[in-house]
Amino acid sequence: MSMLRDKVRLQIPGPTPIPPRIQQAMLRPMVGHRDPEASKLVAACSQRLAPLFGTASPVLIMAASGTAALEAAVINSVQPGGSAAVVVTGAFGDRFAKILGKHGIETHRLDIPWGQACTPEALANFLKEKPQVEAVFLTFCETSTGVLNPIDRLASVVREHTDALVIADGVSAVGGVPAHADEWGVDILVTGSQKALMLPAGLAFASVSSQAWERIEANARPRFYLDFLPYRESLEKNTTPYTPAVSLLFGLEAALDMLEEEGLENVYTRHQWMMRMTRAGIRGMGLALLATDTDASPTVTAVKGDDGTAEAIRKQMKALNIRLAGGQQQLKGEIFRIGHMGYSDPLDIVTTIAALEVAAIRAGLPVQPGSGIQATEEEWIHASRVDHRPAQ
Ligand SMILES: *Cc1c(COP(=O)(O)O)cnc(C)c1O
């Protein structure tokens, strides 16, 4: 059966599909990057991002991919000669550890089995003997395993046992999952543009607490482009220290319009239901999920498939014009991942699960047509009943 070659459905956990309205906004003619129009844009984006991070402070905006924000968080927060702790629940926690290592920072690493969240108890036991660490690095949604770590509770454990800054990678969480950086005591929360924010890659964001600013001001570690201080200074003048990625900011303005029009609570609820529909469909067709219901992320789902089945299914899905992600590092060939964040809705999940049945059958798995989709639809019907109750 022939396919429309350019109708590719991106169900990967980033980059995610770009809404036509955002695509359109990014086509606007360039403006002078120091003109009042650009200043208004920078100021508005920074302020309107704050509710997504759960902070009262303006959010820093950098022209870079998400990893730059991870590296910025490392080099701004840890003094020369200082040590840090990092919780590794998958490939992105491991990336924090690698960045710390490259900068020669003494790193205490807590490894959690991939596919599980870090529990507050595990972190408490680990930090008990490490009260001297200057920063503890956490991953909010571990995109490589589809696990959402309980950042709120982990942050309070850090406070209890150390004076360390709490730093969280929110790249595949912010905008799809509620975040309350100020309330939770997360000192630095970072994200990138190409996940739940529905934009191309190229913007990195960071919220920074006043406690973190004190440490950053006193930090002698060499840094230039990724130094947070000039970003704060420029933001006070409604600009960025280096040329802002103006076209991406036009897109960000449109993305924030969309999120505000839908309402953040509704955005988060939509992600919850997409997670539930995906998990029900996977179970319904007899496949196994990597994470438990308690640990599962609303933005990405990992499905087990050893003996080559994960890759076989992914290949069949690609032939159906749906892109899924494979496993990373130790999970390579063991899982496939379905992204459901940003410009993604319940109907996309129905499509994905229906196609997955076809793909799994083509890959030789004993899947009953309709078994997954029935479970997915039942969740969807349940969601409609819960969400569409008449107002009291
Ligand atoms: C995608 C992702 C990153 C990396 O971002 P890049 O934009 O590829 O540099 C970092 N952390 C997490 C959790 C991610 O999902």
Side-chain angles (χ1 to χ4, degrees):
M1 194 186 355
S2 66
M3 310 282 295
L4 286 170
R5 285 184 131 223
D6 66 351
K7 189 162 180 171
V8 175
R9 293 167 196 271
L10 275 188
Q11 294 294 155
I12 56 176
T16 61
I18 314 285
R21 187 169 158 189
I22 293 179
Q23 197 83 62
Q24 199 76 37
M26 292 188 297
L27 292 174
R28 280 174 58 186
M30 190 47 56
V31 296
H33 70 301
R34 303 297 182 208
D35 284 357
E37 199 181 347
S39 298
K40 257 174 48 196
L41 186 63
V42 169
C45 285
S46 169
Q47 280 161 23
R48 291 168 73 194
L49 280 166
L52 276 64
F53 287 74
T55 180
S57 327
V59 173
L60 306 183
I61 302 173
M62 315 171 97
S65 94
T67 304
L70 302 192
E71 184 157 18
V74 166
I75 62 179
N76 280 277
S77 64
V78 188
Q79 309 271 339
S83 68
V86 57
V87 176
V88 178
T89 55
F92 290 102
D94 184 60
R95 184 168 298 181
F96 256 147
K98 282 181 177 143
I99 297 169
L100 286 156
K102 284 283 181 193
H103 287 282
I105 295 164
E106 186 193 339
T107 304
H108 305 278
R109 180 180 167 125
L110 171 59
D111 278 290
I112 304 293
W114 289 27
Q116 291 175 24
C118 177
T119 61
E121 296 74 31
L123 185 59
N125 282 331
F126 179 72
L127 288 179
K128 261 181 208 152
E129 295 105 58
K130 297 167 189 71
Q132 80 290 356
V133 292
E134 287 182 13
V136 177
F137 292 86
L138 308 169
T139 311
F140 196 171
C141 169
E142 178 48 79
T143 320
S144 67
T145 61
V147 160
L148 194 74
N149 283 295
I151 294 296
D152 49 344
R153 290 188 293 148
L154 297 180
S156 34
V157 167
V158 175
R159 291 262 174 280
E160 216 171 289
H161 295 276
T162 69
D163 291 323
L165 295 175
V166 179
I167 295 170
D169 172 354
V171 177
S172 60
V174 172
V177 179
H180 302 281
D182 290 354
E183 188 189 319
W184 295 346
V186 174
D187 294 292
I188 301 178
L189 177 61
V190 301
T191 193
S193 48
Q194 78 275 25
K195 307 274 169 100
L197 295 179
M198 310 180 282
L199 291 159
L203 292 177
F205 310 102
S207 71
V208 183
S209 72
S210 45
Q211 188 191 348
W213 280 122
E214 282 172 27
R215 305 272 189 100
I216 293 166
E217 285 159 12
N219 189 353
R221 185 177 297 280
R223 54 199 194 272
F224 188 80
Y225 188 77
L226 297 179
D227 186 355
F228 280 156
L229 290 168
Y231 286 88
R232 178 176 65 172
E233 212 172 291
S234 295
L235 202 51
E236 282 159 9
K237 294 175 265 170
N238 295 332
T239 189
T240 54
Y242 320 110
T243 310
V246 175
S247 299
L248 289 171
L249 292 178
F250 285 146
L252 176 58
E253 208 177 29
L256 291 165
D257 285 343
M258 288 179 70
L259 293 169
E260 288 167 9
E261 285 164 17
E262 185 178 358
L264 276 186
E265 286 311 316
N266 296 328
V267 170
Y268 300 144
T269 307
R270 171 165 53 81
H271 283 81
Q272 277 288 333
W273 285 113
M274 290 193 293
M275 168 188 76
R276 291 195 198 189
M277 289 172 65
T278 305
R279 294 175 68 79
I282 295 300
R283 284 199 176 108
M285 72 177 81
L287 301 180
L289 296 158
L290 180 66
T292 63
D293 287 345
T294 323
D295 290 351
S297 168
T299 57
V300 51
T301 298
V303 183
K304 288 194 213 171
D306 47 15
D307 296 331
T309 56
E311 283 306 294
I313 290 173
R314 211 156 70 85
K315 196 173 151 203
Q316 292 294 340
M317 285 294 271
K318 194 172 178 191
L320 296 171
N321 262 357
I322 301 187
R323 295 293 184 280
L324 301 181
Q328 292 169 278
Q329 299 184 27
Q330 67 189 62
L331 289 173
K332 201 176 171 69
E334 302 290 315
I335 58 164
F336 63 83
R337 292 172 299 145
I338 306 167
H340 34 81
M341 68 184 110
Y343 194 54
S344 192
D345 65 8
L347 201 49
D348 291 322
I349 306 303
V350 172
T351 305
T352 303
I353 295 296
L356 261 178
E357 288 180 1
V358 174
I361 292 164
R362 285 185 179 175
L365 272 77
V367 168
Q368 190 63 36
S371 55
I373 208 66
Q374 183 180 346
T376 294
E377 283 183 18
E378 276 165 8
E379 277 296 336
W380 197 10
I381 291 161
H382 183 53
S384 322
R385 291 207 178 106
V386 175
D387 289 350
H388 296 165
R389 279 178 301 211
Q392 296 294 313

